[in-house]
Amino acid sequence: MAEWPVTRPITFAPFAMHKDDYRHQGMRKRLVDTLIAKGIEDREVLAAIGQVPRHLFIDDTAFLEMAYQDIAFPIGCGQTISQPYTVAFQSAILAVRPGMKVLEIGTGSGYQTAVLAKLGCKIFSIERQRPLYLQTKERLARSGVKANLYHGDGYAGLPREAPFDRILVTCGAPFVPQGLTSQLKLGGRLVIPVGEGDEQRMLRITRSSEMDVSTEDLGAFRFVPMLQDKA
Ligand code: SAH
Protein backbone atom coordinates (compact mmCIF):
# COMPACT_ATOMS: atom_id res chain seq x y z
CA MET A 1 0.00 0.00 0.00
CA ALA A 2 1.33 3.43 -0.96
CA GLU A 3 2.08 5.79 1.91
CA TRP A 4 1.57 9.51 1.97
CA PRO A 5 4.84 11.35 1.53
CA VAL A 6 5.93 12.63 4.93
CA THR A 7 6.66 16.17 3.77
CA ARG A 8 3.80 17.02 1.46
CA PRO A 9 3.16 20.73 1.12
CA ILE A 10 0.19 22.04 3.06
CA THR A 11 -1.16 25.58 2.72
CA PHE A 12 -3.23 26.82 5.60
CA ALA A 13 -3.51 30.48 4.61
CA PRO A 14 -5.88 31.33 1.74
CA PHE A 15 -2.85 32.62 -0.11
CA ALA A 16 0.83 32.78 0.65
CA MET A 17 2.16 35.91 2.19
CA HIS A 18 5.15 36.81 0.16
CA LYS A 19 4.03 36.03 -3.33
CA ASP A 20 1.94 38.00 -5.73
CA ASP A 21 -0.33 35.88 -7.89
CA TYR A 22 -3.37 36.24 -10.13
CA ARG A 23 -5.73 36.40 -7.14
CA HIS A 24 -3.89 39.40 -5.71
CA GLN A 25 -3.84 40.98 -9.15
CA GLY A 26 -7.58 40.47 -9.49
CA MET A 27 -8.19 42.04 -6.08
CA ARG A 28 -6.01 45.01 -7.05
CA LYS A 29 -8.01 45.49 -10.22
CA ARG A 30 -11.18 45.66 -8.12
CA LEU A 31 -9.52 48.10 -5.72
CA VAL A 32 -8.62 50.34 -8.67
CA ASP A 33 -12.26 50.18 -9.84
CA THR A 34 -13.37 51.21 -6.35
CA LEU A 35 -10.98 54.18 -6.39
CA ILE A 36 -12.27 55.25 -9.81
CA ALA A 37 -15.84 55.04 -8.47
CA LYS A 38 -14.77 57.25 -5.55
CA GLY A 39 -13.48 59.89 -7.95
CA ILE A 40 -9.76 59.22 -8.45
CA GLU A 41 -8.96 60.09 -12.07
CA ASP A 42 -5.18 60.24 -12.30
CA ARG A 43 -4.24 57.40 -14.67
CA GLU A 44 -0.64 57.08 -13.55
CA VAL A 45 -1.65 56.91 -9.90
CA LEU A 46 -4.31 54.29 -10.65
CA ALA A 47 -1.79 52.26 -12.66
CA ALA A 48 0.73 52.40 -9.79
CA ILE A 49 -1.90 51.24 -7.29
CA GLY A 50 -2.79 48.47 -9.73
CA GLN A 51 0.82 47.32 -9.63
CA VAL A 52 2.05 47.69 -6.04
CA PRO A 53 1.27 44.51 -4.03
CA ARG A 54 -0.30 46.06 -0.93
CA HIS A 55 -0.60 42.68 0.80
CA LEU A 56 3.20 42.61 1.11
CA PHE A 57 3.02 45.69 3.34
CA ILE A 58 0.92 43.97 5.96
CA ASP A 59 2.55 41.64 8.43
CA ASP A 60 -0.37 40.08 10.16
CA THR A 61 -1.90 37.21 8.18
CA ALA A 62 -5.21 37.97 9.91
CA PHE A 63 -5.40 41.12 7.79
CA LEU A 64 -4.37 39.56 4.49
CA GLU A 65 -7.88 39.31 3.15
CA MET A 66 -8.39 42.99 3.90
CA ALA A 67 -5.27 44.13 2.06
CA TYR A 68 -7.23 45.16 -1.02
CA GLN A 69 -10.23 46.69 0.65
CA ASP A 70 -10.32 50.45 0.77
CA ILE A 71 -9.56 50.71 4.47
CA ALA A 72 -6.71 51.73 6.79
CA PHE A 73 -5.50 49.30 9.47
CA PRO A 74 -2.82 48.80 12.14
CA ILE A 75 0.81 48.15 11.27
CA GLY A 76 2.31 48.13 14.79
CA CYS A 77 3.66 50.87 17.07
CA GLY A 78 0.09 52.21 17.23
CA GLN A 79 0.28 53.31 13.59
CA THR A 80 -1.73 52.53 10.49
CA ILE A 81 -1.20 51.81 6.82
CA SER A 82 -3.10 54.60 5.05
CA GLN A 83 -6.36 53.85 3.28
CA PRO A 84 -5.78 53.28 -0.48
CA TYR A 85 -8.15 56.16 -1.29
CA THR A 86 -6.03 58.51 0.83
CA VAL A 87 -2.81 57.26 -0.80
CA ALA A 88 -4.37 57.74 -4.24
CA PHE A 89 -5.77 61.18 -3.37
CA GLN A 90 -2.51 62.47 -1.89
CA SER A 91 -0.47 61.04 -4.78
CA ALA A 92 -2.81 62.63 -7.33
CA ILE A 93 -2.79 66.13 -5.80
CA LEU A 94 0.98 65.92 -5.36
CA ALA A 95 1.13 65.66 -9.20
CA VAL A 96 4.55 64.09 -9.54
CA ARG A 97 6.49 63.42 -12.70
CA PRO A 98 9.19 60.79 -13.19
CA GLY A 99 12.57 61.91 -11.88
CA MET A 100 11.17 64.36 -9.31
CA LYS A 101 12.87 64.51 -5.94
CA VAL A 102 10.21 63.78 -3.33
CA LEU A 103 10.38 63.87 0.47
CA GLU A 104 7.81 61.82 2.38
CA ILE A 105 7.20 62.36 6.11
CA GLY A 106 5.89 59.22 7.84
CA THR A 107 7.25 56.13 6.06
CA GLY A 108 5.02 53.80 8.10
CA SER A 109 4.51 50.55 6.20
CA GLY A 110 6.26 51.91 3.10
CA TYR A 111 3.18 51.43 0.91
CA GLN A 112 2.90 55.10 -0.08
CA THR A 113 6.68 55.12 -0.57
CA ALA A 114 6.38 52.20 -2.98
CA VAL A 115 3.57 53.92 -4.92
CA LEU A 116 5.70 57.07 -5.33
CA ALA A 117 8.69 54.96 -6.38
CA LYS A 118 6.47 53.25 -8.96
CA LEU A 119 5.57 56.70 -10.28
CA GLY A 120 9.28 57.19 -11.01
CA CYS A 121 10.16 59.56 -8.17
CA LYS A 122 13.48 59.69 -6.41
CA ILE A 123 12.12 59.23 -2.94
CA PHE A 124 13.41 60.19 0.50
CA SER A 125 11.28 59.18 3.44
CA ILE A 126 11.50 59.89 7.17
CA GLU A 127 9.97 57.79 9.96
CA ARG A 128 9.98 58.84 13.62
CA GLN A 129 9.60 55.37 15.13
CA ARG A 130 12.73 53.30 14.95
CA PRO A 131 11.14 49.80 14.94
CA LEU A 132 8.95 50.81 11.99
CA TYR A 133 11.87 52.40 10.18
CA LEU A 134 13.94 49.21 10.55
CA GLN A 135 11.10 46.88 9.56
CA THR A 136 10.13 48.92 6.51
CA LYS A 137 13.72 49.38 5.37
CA GLU A 138 14.06 45.62 5.21
CA ARG A 139 10.67 45.16 3.56
CA LEU A 140 11.31 47.69 0.80
CA ALA A 141 14.77 46.24 0.10
CA ARG A 142 13.22 42.76 -0.10
CA SER A 143 10.52 44.00 -2.48
CA GLY A 144 13.08 45.72 -4.72
CA VAL A 145 11.69 49.22 -4.03
CA LYS A 146 14.36 51.88 -4.33
CA ALA A 147 13.97 54.52 -1.61
CA ASN A 148 16.22 56.43 0.76
CA LEU A 149 14.87 55.88 4.26
CA TYR A 150 15.74 57.84 7.38
CA HIS A 151 14.94 57.50 11.05
CA GLY A 152 14.35 61.04 12.23
CA ASP A 153 12.01 63.91 12.88
CA GLY A 154 9.81 64.97 10.01
CA TYR A 155 9.37 68.48 11.44
CA ALA A 156 12.98 69.16 10.51
CA GLY A 157 12.67 67.74 7.00
CA LEU A 158 15.92 66.70 5.35
CA PRO A 159 18.05 69.83 4.89
CA ARG A 160 21.02 67.95 3.46
CA GLU A 161 18.98 66.67 0.51
CA ALA A 162 16.89 69.83 -0.01
CA PRO A 163 15.46 71.37 -2.10
CA PHE A 164 12.65 69.02 -3.13
CA ASP A 165 10.16 69.17 -6.00
CA ARG A 166 7.50 67.72 -3.74
CA ILE A 167 6.99 67.05 -0.03
CA LEU A 168 4.24 64.73 1.20
CA VAL A 169 3.23 64.47 4.85
CA THR A 170 1.30 61.28 5.72
CA CYS A 171 0.46 62.11 9.35
CA GLY A 172 -1.76 64.85 10.76
CA ALA A 173 0.30 67.94 11.58
CA PRO A 174 -0.83 70.52 14.17
CA PHE A 175 0.62 73.28 11.95
CA VAL A 176 2.66 73.65 8.78
CA PRO A 177 6.32 73.17 9.81
CA GLN A 178 8.34 76.09 8.47
CA GLY A 179 11.31 73.76 7.88
CA LEU A 180 9.28 71.92 5.25
CA THR A 181 8.11 74.89 3.16
CA SER A 182 11.66 76.24 3.13
CA GLN A 183 12.90 72.94 1.66
CA LEU A 184 10.68 73.26 -1.41
CA LYS A 185 12.06 74.31 -4.78
CA LEU A 186 10.47 77.39 -6.35
CA GLY A 187 7.23 76.09 -7.84
CA GLY A 188 7.50 73.05 -5.55
CA ARG A 189 4.54 71.62 -3.66
CA LEU A 190 3.88 70.46 -0.12
CA VAL A 191 0.84 68.26 0.54
CA ILE A 192 0.04 68.15 4.26
CA PRO A 193 -3.00 67.28 6.39
CA VAL A 194 -3.23 70.01 9.05
CA GLY A 195 -5.33 70.15 12.20
CA GLU A 196 -5.37 68.96 15.79
CA GLY A 197 -8.10 66.65 16.98
CA ASP A 198 -9.97 64.08 14.90
CA GLU A 199 -9.94 65.74 11.53
CA GLN A 200 -7.39 67.47 9.35
CA ARG A 201 -7.69 69.71 6.30
CA MET A 202 -5.72 68.49 3.31
CA LEU A 203 -3.60 71.47 2.30
CA ARG A 204 -1.65 71.84 -0.92
CA ILE A 205 0.96 74.55 -0.53
CA THR A 206 2.87 75.82 -3.54
CA ARG A 207 6.04 77.82 -3.15
CA SER A 208 5.40 80.68 -5.57
CA SER A 209 8.51 82.78 -4.83
CA GLU A 210 11.42 83.02 -2.43
CA MET A 211 9.12 84.57 0.20
CA ASP A 212 5.60 83.54 -0.82
CA VAL A 213 3.47 80.44 -0.75
CA SER A 214 -0.10 79.86 -1.90
CA THR A 215 -2.38 77.45 -0.07
CA GLU A 216 -5.35 75.40 -1.32
CA ASP A 217 -7.71 73.48 0.99
CA LEU A 218 -8.69 70.16 -0.63
CA GLY A 219 -11.00 68.70 2.00
CA ALA A 220 -11.23 66.83 5.30
CA PHE A 221 -9.32 63.65 6.17
CA ARG A 222 -8.29 61.67 9.25
CA PHE A 223 -4.68 60.80 9.98
CA VAL A 224 -2.63 59.53 12.92
CA PRO A 225 -0.91 62.52 14.56
CA MET A 226 2.49 63.85 13.54
CA LEU A 227 4.49 63.22 16.69
CA GLN A 228 6.44 66.08 18.22
CA ASP A 229 8.85 64.64 20.72
CA LYS A 230 8.95 60.90 20.45
CA ALA A 231 12.19 59.27 19.35
N1 SAH B 1 2.74 56.49 4.51
C1 SAH B 1 2.39 55.51 5.50
C2 SAH B 1 1.42 56.08 6.51
C3 SAH B 1 1.73 55.64 7.90
S1 SAH B 1 0.88 56.48 9.19
C4 SAH B 1 1.87 54.24 4.85
O1 SAH B 1 1.57 54.26 3.65
O2 SAH B 1 1.80 53.21 5.52
C5 SAH B 1 1.94 57.88 9.52
C6 SAH B 1 3.36 57.59 9.96
O3 SAH B 1 3.96 58.85 10.35
C7 SAH B 1 3.50 56.68 11.17
O4 SAH B 1 4.31 55.60 10.83
C8 SAH B 1 4.16 57.57 12.23
O5 SAH B 1 5.04 56.86 13.08
C9 SAH B 1 4.90 58.58 11.39
N2 SAH B 1 5.22 59.84 12.08
C10 SAH B 1 4.51 60.46 13.05
N3 SAH B 1 5.13 61.60 13.43
C11 SAH B 1 6.27 61.70 12.69
C12 SAH B 1 7.33 62.65 12.64
N4 SAH B 1 7.37 63.74 13.44
N5 SAH B 1 8.34 62.43 11.75
C13 SAH B 1 8.32 61.36 10.93
N6 SAH B 1 7.34 60.41 10.95
C14 SAH B 1 6.33 60.57 11.82
Side-chain angles (χ1 to χ4, degrees):
M1 217 173 92
E3 286 190 343
W4 287 107
V6 183
T7 54
R8 64 186 187 281
I10 301 173
T11 313
F12 292 105
F15 27 75
M17 219 149 142
H18 294 300
K19 66 174 197 197
D20 186 37
D21 65 23
Y22 69 94
R23 283 169 297 183
H24 302 112
Q25 287 151 24
M27 288 191 282
R28 275 207 293 285
K29 167 84 179 54
R30 286 195 292 281
L31 172 61
V32 167
D33 291 342
T34 304
L35 297 178
I36 293 170
K38 290 186 178 178
I40 302 294
E41 291 176 349
D42 188 307
R43 285 165 174 273
E44 275 84 26
V45 168
L46 291 167
I49 291 195
Q51 287 166 44
V52 176
R54 190 166 186 259
H55 65 284
L56 302 184
F57 293 82
I58 289 148
D59 297 298
D60 190 338
T61 37
F63 287 113
L64 257 188
E65 304 242 26
M66 283 147 76
Y68 292 105
Q69 292 173 27
D70 189 23
I71 47 174
F73 48 87
I75 53 171
C77 302
Q79 300 305 316
T80 54
I81 180 170
S82 297
Q83 183 181 349
Y85 176 78
T86 304
V87 171
F89 188 88
Q90 287 201 299
S91 303
I93 63 173
L94 201 58
V96 296
R97 286 188 300 278
M100 278 188 168
K101 201 168 172 183
V102 178
L103 174 65
E104 178 192 27
I105 309 298
T107 316
S109 68
Y111 177 66
Q112 170 77 74
T113 318
V115 169
L116 290 171
K118 188 59 98 185
L119 288 165
C121 302
K122 183 162 196 252
I123 170 125
F124 299 80
S125 185
I126 307 177
E127 172 55 52
R128 191 77 172 113
Q129 304 202 56
R130 192 166 172 80
L132 265 182
Y133 154 77
L134 290 171
Q135 187 186 17
T136 299
K137 196 177 166 76
E138 202 218 301
R139 170 187 293 137
L140 289 178
R142 198 180 342 117
S143 317
V145 175
K146 268 208 201 149
N148 304 284
L149 304 189
Y150 300 83
H151 170 228
D153 181 10
Y155 283 90
L158 202 57
R160 67 180 180 277
E161 290 292 345
F164 296 95
D165 296 291
R166 300 287 187 261
I167 301 178
L168 174 62
V169 180
T170 71
C171 35
F175 54 87
V176 179
Q178 207 269 324
L180 296 185
T181 36
S182 66
Q183 289 174 36
L184 281 177
K185 285 183 189 173
L186 280 186
R189 277 181 178 170
L190 163 66
V191 167
I192 180 168
V194 179
E196 282 171 294
D198 277 1
E199 218 172 71
Q200 291 82 35
R201 303 302 304 181
M202 185 71 78
L203 303 185
R204 178 163 69 179
I205 298 170
T206 305
R207 185 162 192 196
S208 41
S209 74
E210 214 46 71
M211 301 300 290
D212 299 309
V213 296
S214 61
T215 303
E216 298 159 89
D217 182 333
L218 300 173
F221 285 80
R222 279 166 194 264
F223 283 83
V224 295
M226 185 168 178
L227 309 168
Q228 295 206 53
D229 21 55
K230 190 160 182 284

